[in-house]
């Protein structure tokens, strides 16, 4: 639940799914059953949380609570009727709102279902490794910084949500792409929309403040200005004559009655606080207009009173003034003090003058003060009436905000496509990824003005080229290539054009990225342990439509161990009995190139470099085939490692390269027996069959305790043998 906007969603699933949702939404606070505190803190030790009693977490109570809130008899209309855990969680949130005295919740008008299969699966490791919303290194740029050209706060929020929850439904993705395409083709249309979108402000949160009765006069004017731009946006969309855009216009509501009421009721430039006056337009309330005449058109009366007092006293320098502390007064210089009438009451003494008040001025002052107090009270009442009138328009304005946020995202995607020459991807249910001249969306924008990103072609399928085994030099661009492919897939499945000349993408339902190195010392996990955790998560959660990126797997341990883990993982992905996950595998273990000969769907690729006088130039170009060189010493030299160290490293390398041991290792890899990946915990040996037979023959109900112990001992002896 986002209390500030009224967005309310529910879901249910296993721990991994909930962990993924928590990672995606980054909640400010999590509410849970206090009985589960130990388990919660194990899973999410860093999250701010609040516990509620066990009685809150019962589905019957939650079901009734939700129906009561929404005014419904059941929850079928929201599509969550069968989500018992999801309903329980949603009911607990409403209980928490009551406990924390959130009484005005009319803007929480519906609840949506977050269905697991509707969105691409990305675990927390993948979201972090791909730097979707947050850079891992200081000065880095996450993908959202490249994509976010929205001009409204609600558009920016929606874009973040889309980025963390890419779609898996081809029809829904194509609908987004179609709208982006229309805005790309219509540059005039896009510019006209941008003019109006930029004036909307945060319509979503403004209407939430109306529902909570916490909106101030200045914000009400902002709401009015936002509503003024809805009708022009509708007209622009309808003039396009494109059904995909006209549908958006037809779903919007310009709320003309409310707009007119705000315009006629509220001053154009009201104060922030309702007790500061000058809030309501003239002509709205006759009583208010009369009070204003008394309070603000009094100068003529005071001028007449001053003339009268001067004539009565003969003091020509007499003045009438007012301040906030002493109110109205008659000011007399000390040299005319003897001329002051006896019935004037002293009010304040100054260095050169004395201030008085007489009965007539006092009576008028009381009248003005009363009028001003009544004006404040009456204006506050009229403003509150206006706020209540806005309450009838909460649902249509929420719908407007949702549609305008979508339109803002489409506009941002269209800007990207035009500015950076992105291409519309083709989405399908096939098992193919075919990218031509693909570029990394983030790195491309970080290049210097005269530099150009080197594009590459990437092809993956489940029949001929399931696994791309990529070797090449350090700094050659292997990690960038892996991330680039996955970022393009994510961009395509959120409905964005992509940096490539063409892109055919079979829908990906699970995306895994094991790229980069990090540790978790607070939990006692080394870099290698973190790497193994992430890899375990991948191999245990594969699907037929998974896209896997593994970078330098096994480099955190000894050569033999690391190489063994890397090869075993590739074999596992290739020989998996159920799924053929499309895989990008970057490695410095050149010995693994022999796998192309053994595994039919593994293909070798490398990133080429050019050697010039013992120096190297990175060409960042992907080619078929393998390479035996990593050029690590040259990269060390570029980093500033002392020449004495790099020279010695060259000497050592010349003794190691082409050695008999290296040749032996390569030959050993070629001759390793093929993997079977069958469970061998209990082989069907004769004694095992005997054990099964004895177990089947035991009649448990007829055994005495002593006989049971004897049988148990007999079975134990068979197992020990």
């Amino acid at each position: 639940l986002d209390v500030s906007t009224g967005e309310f969603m529910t879901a249910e699933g296993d721990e991994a799914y909930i962990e993924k949702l928590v990672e995606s939404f980054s909640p400010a606070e999590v509410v849970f059953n206090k009985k589960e505190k130990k388990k919660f803190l194990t899973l999410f030790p860093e999250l701010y949380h609040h516990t509620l009693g066990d009685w809150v977490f019962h589905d019957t109570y939650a079901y009734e609570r939700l129906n009561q809130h929404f005014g419904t008899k059941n929850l079928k209309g929201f599509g969550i009727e069968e989500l018992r855990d999801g309903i329980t969680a949603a009911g607990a949130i409403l209980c928490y709102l009551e406990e924390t005295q959130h009484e005005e919740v009319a803007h929480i008008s519906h609840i949506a279902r977050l269905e697991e299969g509707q969105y691409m699966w990305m675990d927390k490791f993948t979201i972090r490794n791909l730097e979707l919303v947050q850079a891992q290194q200081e000065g880095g740029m996450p993908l959202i910084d490249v994509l976010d050209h929205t001009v409204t706060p609600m558009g920016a929020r929606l874009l973040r949500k889309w980025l963390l929850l890419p779609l898996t439904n081809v029809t829904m993705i194509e609908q987004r792409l179609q709208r982006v395409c229309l805005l790309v083709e219509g540059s005039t249309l896009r510019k006209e929309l941008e003019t109006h979108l930029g004036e909307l402000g945060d319509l979503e949160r403004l209407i939430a403040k109306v529902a909570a009765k916490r909106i101030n006069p200045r914000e009400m004017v902002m709401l009015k200005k936002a509503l003024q731009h809805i009708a022009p946006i509708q007209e622009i969309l309808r003039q396009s004559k494109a059904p995909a855009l006209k549908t958006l216009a037809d779903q919007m509501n310009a709320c003309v009655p409310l707009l007119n009421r705000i315009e006629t009721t509220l001053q154009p430039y009201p104060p922030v606080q309702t007790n500061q006056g000058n809030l309501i337009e003239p002509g709205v309330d006759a009583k208010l207009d009369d009070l204003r005449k008394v309070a603000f058109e009094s100068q003529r009366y005071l001028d007449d009173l001053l003339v009268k007092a001067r004539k009565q006293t003969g003091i020509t320098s007499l003045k009438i003034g007012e301040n906030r502390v002493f109110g109205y007064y008659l000011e007399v210089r000390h040299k005319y003090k003897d001329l002051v009438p006896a019935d004037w009451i002293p009010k304040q003494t100054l260095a050169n003058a004395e201030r008085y008040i007489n009965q007539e001025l006092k009576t008028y002052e009381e009248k003005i003060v009363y009028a001003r107090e009544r004006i404040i009270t009456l204006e506050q009442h009229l403003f509150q009436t206006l706020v209540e009138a806005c309450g009838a328009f909460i649902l249509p304005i929420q719908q407007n905000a949702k549609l305008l946020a979508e339109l803002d995202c489409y506009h941002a995607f269209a800007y990207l496509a035009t500015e950076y020459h992105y291409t519309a991807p083709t989405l399908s249910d096939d098992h193919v990824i075919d990218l031509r001249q693909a570029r990394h969306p983030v790195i491309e924008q970080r290049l210097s003005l005269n530099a150009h990103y080197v594009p590459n072609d990437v092809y993956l399928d489940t029949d001929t080229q399931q696994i791309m085994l990529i070797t090449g030099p350090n700094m050659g661009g292997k990690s960038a290539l892996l991330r680039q492919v996955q970022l393009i897939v994510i961009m395509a499945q959120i409905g964005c054009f992509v940096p490539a000349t063409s892109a055919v993408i079979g829908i990906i339902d699970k995306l895994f990225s094991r790229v980069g190195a990090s540790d978790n010392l607070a939990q006692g996990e080394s870099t290698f342990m973190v790497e193994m955790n992430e890899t375990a998560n991948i191999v245990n959660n594969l699907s037929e439509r998974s896209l896997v990126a593994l970078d330098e797997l096994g480099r955190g341990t000894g050569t033999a161990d690391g190489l063994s883990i890397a090869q075993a993982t590739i074999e596992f992905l290739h020989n998996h009995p159920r799924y053929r996950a499309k895989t990008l595998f970057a490695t410095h273990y050149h010995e693994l190139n022999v796998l192309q000969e053994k595994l039919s769907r593994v293909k070798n690729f490398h990133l080429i470099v050019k050697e010039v006088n013992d120096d190297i130039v990175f060409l960042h170009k992907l080619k078929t085939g393998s390479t035996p060189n990593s050029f690590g010493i040259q990269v060390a030299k570029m980093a500033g490692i002392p020449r004495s160290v790099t020279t010695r490293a060259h000497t050592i390398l010349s003794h190691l390269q082409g050695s008999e041991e290296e040749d032996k290792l390569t030959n050993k890899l070629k001759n390793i027996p093929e993997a079977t990946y069958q469970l061998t915990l209990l082989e069907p040996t004769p004694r095992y069959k005997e054990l099964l037979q004895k177990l089947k023959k035991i009649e448990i109900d007829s055994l005495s305790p002593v006989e049971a112990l004897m049988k148990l001992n007999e079975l134990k002896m068979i197992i020990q043998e």
Side-chain angles (χ1 to χ4, degrees):
L1 172 70
D2 185 342
V3 183
S4 67
T5 64
E7 185 178 35
F8 198 15
M9 295 176 287
T10 190
E12 64 181 38
D14 58 20
E15 287 177 10
Y17 181 54
I18 301 307
E19 193 172 6
K20 180 255 186 299
L21 290 180
V22 169
E23 185 74 18
S24 297
F25 287 102
S26 300
E29 184 173 14
V30 178
V31 177
F32 63 92
N33 190 333
K34 64 181 179 181
K35 286 174 61 178
E36 305 290 345
K37 188 165 186 175
K38 184 177 180 181
K39 186 173 184 181
F40 178 86
L41 293 177
T42 302
L43 287 171
F44 309 110
E46 297 177 358
L47 285 179
Y48 182 75
H49 58 267
H50 181 86
T51 59
L52 293 174
D54 185 49
W55 64 272
V56 174
F57 293 87
H58 287 279
D59 56 0
T60 304
Y61 166 78
Y63 190 85
E64 293 174 358
R65 190 66 181 264
L66 288 168
N67 278 315
Q68 181 184 2
H69 175 80
F70 293 119
T72 53
K73 291 185 177 180
N74 58 59
L75 302 174
K76 293 179 181 178
F78 300 112
I80 65 169
E81 180 79 10
E82 73 282 6
L83 297 185
R84 308 317 299 177
D85 291 334
I87 289 170
T88 303
I93 283 186
L94 292 182
C95 179
Y96 178 59
L97 289 182
E98 183 178 301
E99 183 180 287
T100 51
Q101 299 181 339
H102 282 80
E103 297 173 355
E104 304 296 341
V105 290
H107 63 302
I108 305 173
S109 54
H110 67 281
I111 185 168
R113 175 175 180 163
L114 262 177
E115 201 162 351
E116 185 172 352
Q118 188 177 349
Y119 303 103
M120 180 195 292
W121 171 280
M122 292 187 291
D123 57 36
K124 63 180 181 180
F125 307 119
T126 298
I127 292 171
R128 182 195 67 207
N129 292 335
L130 291 179
E131 300 182 303
L132 298 183
V133 293
Q134 187 173 0
Q136 292 191 66
Q137 308 253 344
E138 188 176 348
M141 177 186 274
L143 179 62
I144 196 165
D145 285 359
V146 173
L147 302 184
D148 192 0
H149 289 275
T150 58
V151 293
T152 68
M154 52 212 180
R157 288 193 297 271
L158 182 63
L159 177 58
R160 187 184 189 279
K161 178 181 169 185
W162 280 5
L163 185 57
L164 293 170
L165 295 169
L167 297 172
T168 56
N169 184 293
V170 174
T171 304
M172 294 173 68
I173 298 169
E174 287 179 342
Q175 185 182 60
R176 290 184 186 177
L177 287 170
Q178 184 184 8
R179 288 169 176 167
V180 175
C181 189
L182 290 167
L183 294 180
V184 169
E185 294 170 353
S187 57
T188 304
L189 170 69
R190 190 172 70 251
K191 289 175 182 176
E192 289 177 352
L193 283 174
E194 183 176 354
T195 301
H196 291 286
L197 287 170
E199 298 295 324
L200 288 173
D202 201 340
L203 183 59
E204 197 171 32
R205 286 189 172 166
L206 286 173
I207 195 59
K209 287 190 173 186
V210 168
K213 295 183 172 61
R214 292 176 183 171
I215 191 167
N216 65 48
R218 195 79 56 83
E219 291 168 334
M220 186 65 80
V221 170
M222 292 167 64
L223 176 61
K224 177 192 73 174
K225 289 181 178 178
L227 293 176
Q228 287 172 337
H229 290 277
I230 292 177
I233 289 173
Q234 286 179 299
E235 185 61 27
I236 292 168
L237 295 174
R238 285 172 179 150
Q239 284 177 356
S240 71
K241 297 181 181 179
L245 295 180
K246 288 177 69 178
T247 302
L248 286 176
D250 294 340
Q251 291 176 329
M252 292 180 193
N253 186 334
C255 303
V256 176
L258 176 61
L259 175 59
N260 292 338
R261 181 160 183 176
I262 298 174
E263 286 180 332
T264 56
T265 301
L266 215 55
Q267 293 270 16
Y269 304 102
V272 175
Q273 302 298 329
T274 58
N275 62 356
Q276 293 177 312
N278 199 30
L279 197 63
I280 306 297
E281 284 274 30
V284 173
D285 187 272
K287 188 181 292 184
L288 179 62
D289 292 341
D290 291 341
L291 289 168
R292 280 175 172 165
K293 286 179 182 178
V294 173
F296 304 120
E297 297 180 7
S298 58
Q299 192 59 46
R300 185 180 301 173
Y301 179 87
L302 292 174
D303 290 344
D304 291 343
L305 191 150
L306 180 60
V307 171
K308 181 179 177 182
R310 283 175 178 173
K311 188 175 181 180
Q312 178 187 355
T313 61
I315 305 172
T316 56
S317 62
L318 186 68
K319 297 178 183 178
I320 291 181
E322 179 195 15
N323 65 35
R324 291 189 177 183
V325 178
F326 294 99
Y328 284 97
Y329 56 82
L330 293 153
E331 186 172 296
V332 180
R333 294 172 67 182
H334 285 316
K335 67 178 182 177
Y336 300 114
K337 193 173 181 179
D338 295 339
L339 299 176
V340 173
D343 60 342
W344 286 20
I345 304 167
K347 204 167 190 180
Q348 183 184 13
T349 301
L350 304 177
N352 299 318
E354 190 82 20
R355 290 175 175 176
Y356 300 87
I357 189 167
N358 62 16
Q359 188 58 46
E360 185 176 3
L361 186 58
K362 185 177 181 182
T363 301
Y364 188 74
E365 180 184 58
E366 289 172 354
K367 185 178 181 182
I368 289 175
V369 170
Y370 172 76
R372 288 180 179 173
E373 289 175 351
R374 286 287 299 137
I375 287 170
I376 297 298
T377 303
L378 196 51
E379 282 197 326
Q380 287 177 327
H381 171 72
L382 291 170
F383 180 73
Q384 197 57 41
T385 303
L386 177 63
V387 173
E388 290 172 0
C390 292
F393 292 86
I394 289 173
L395 287 178
I397 293 178
Q398 282 183 325
Q399 173 75 353
N400 287 341
K402 175 178 174 292
L403 295 169
L404 291 166
E406 280 187 38
L407 188 60
D408 193 13
C409 289
Y410 301 142
H411 163 268
F413 291 167
Y415 171 84
L416 277 168
T418 306
E419 189 73 10
Y420 301 107
H421 309 292
Y422 287 2
T423 305
T426 301
L427 279 299
S428 73
D429 287 321
D430 295 335
H431 296 276
V432 172
I433 293 178
D434 188 1
L435 307 179
R436 303 296 173 89
Q437 299 294 288
R439 315 183 304 274
H440 194 297
V442 179
I443 296 176
E444 182 180 42
Q445 293 198 24
R446 299 299 296 271
L447 294 175
S448 59
L449 287 175
N450 298 322
H452 297 282
Y453 191 85
V454 178
N456 279 298
D457 297 346
V458 173
Y459 180 86
L460 288 165
D461 64 22
T462 53
D463 296 323
T464 61
Q465 193 163 294
Q466 176 200 345
I467 300 173
M468 289 178 64
L469 185 60
I470 305 166
T471 52
N474 287 295
M475 299 284 291
K478 297 191 300 298
S479 298
L481 181 69
L482 267 57
R483 287 190 174 99
Q484 158 184 318
V485 174
Q486 294 197 311
L487 294 180
I488 286 174
V489 168
I490 291 170
M491 289 171 65
Q493 291 190 210
I494 66 172
C496 183
F497 283 26
V498 299
T501 57
S502 74
V504 177
I505 297 172
I507 288 295
I508 299 298
D509 64 359
K510 289 186 176 183
L511 192 142
F512 300 100
S513 179
R514 206 308 347 124
V515 180
S518 62
D519 54 39
N520 186 3
L521 297 181
Q523 299 293 321
E525 296 177 350
S526 66
T527 303
F528 182 68
M529 186 61 184
V530 170
E531 180 183 335
M532 290 298 99
N533 285 338
E534 295 180 12
T535 305
N537 180 62
I538 294 171
V539 297
N540 288 321
N541 290 286
L542 292 172
S543 70
E544 185 66 15
R545 293 189 173 276
S546 293
L547 175 60
V548 178
L550 292 164
D551 185 29
E552 304 297 352
L553 184 64
R555 294 295 287 184
T557 185
T559 302
D561 283 353
L563 187 55
S564 302
I565 291 169
Q567 177 166 337
T569 303
I570 293 172
E571 290 178 350
F572 178 85
L573 292 168
H574 185 275
N575 299 328
H576 197 285
R578 295 180 62 190
Y579 308 124
R580 295 182 179 181
K582 293 177 282 295
T583 304
L584 297 158
F585 196 102
T587 184
H588 280 297
Y589 290 130
H590 309 111
E591 298 84 358
L592 294 174
N593 288 319
V594 300
L595 293 178
Q596 178 175 282
E597 302 170 16
K598 302 174 64 175
L599 305 173
S600 61
R601 295 185 305 280
V602 173
K603 296 293 182 281
N604 291 339
F605 290 84
H606 70 282
L607 287 152
I608 59 176
V609 298
K610 185 176 181 181
E611 293 186 75
V612 181
N613 298 326
D614 201 31
D615 287 327
I616 54 173
V617 178
F618 301 112
L619 300 182
H620 304 292
K621 198 66 182 173
L622 187 67
K623 294 289 184 181
T624 56
S626 59
T627 177
N629 298 319
S630 293
F631 298 98
I633 297 174
Q634 286 87 339
V635 174
K637 181 179 176 183
M638 293 167 62
I641 296 293
R643 181 175 294 274
S644 59
V645 176
T646 56
T647 301
R648 176 59 179 164
H650 269 299
T651 303
I652 297 170
L653 180 63
S654 65
H655 282 273
L656 294 176
Q657 278 185 331
S659 65
E660 189 177 331
E661 287 74 15
E662 187 177 38
D663 293 338
K664 283 181 179 178
L665 180 59
T666 303
N667 290 327
K668 284 180 179 178
L669 287 173
K670 287 181 180 179
N671 297 319
I672 291 174
E674 290 188 9
T676 57
Y677 295 104
Q678 293 178 351
L679 293 176
T680 57
L681 295 178
L682 289 173
E683 294 289 352
T685 61
R687 294 294 278 163
Y688 171 62
K689 291 177 181 177
E690 180 187 346
L691 176 65
L692 288 179
Q693 290 299 321
K694 286 186 176 291
L695 280 169
K696 288 177 182 177
K697 289 179 180 178
I698 295 174
E699 296 181 5
I700 296 174
D701 294 336
S702 63
L703 288 180
S704 69
V706 174
E707 289 174 331
L709 287 172
M710 292 174 66
K711 279 287 182 186
L712 187 59
N713 187 58
E714 182 184 349
L715 295 172
K716 183 179 176 183
M717 294 296 291
I718 295 174
I719 292 172
Q720 286 176 339
E721 290 176 14

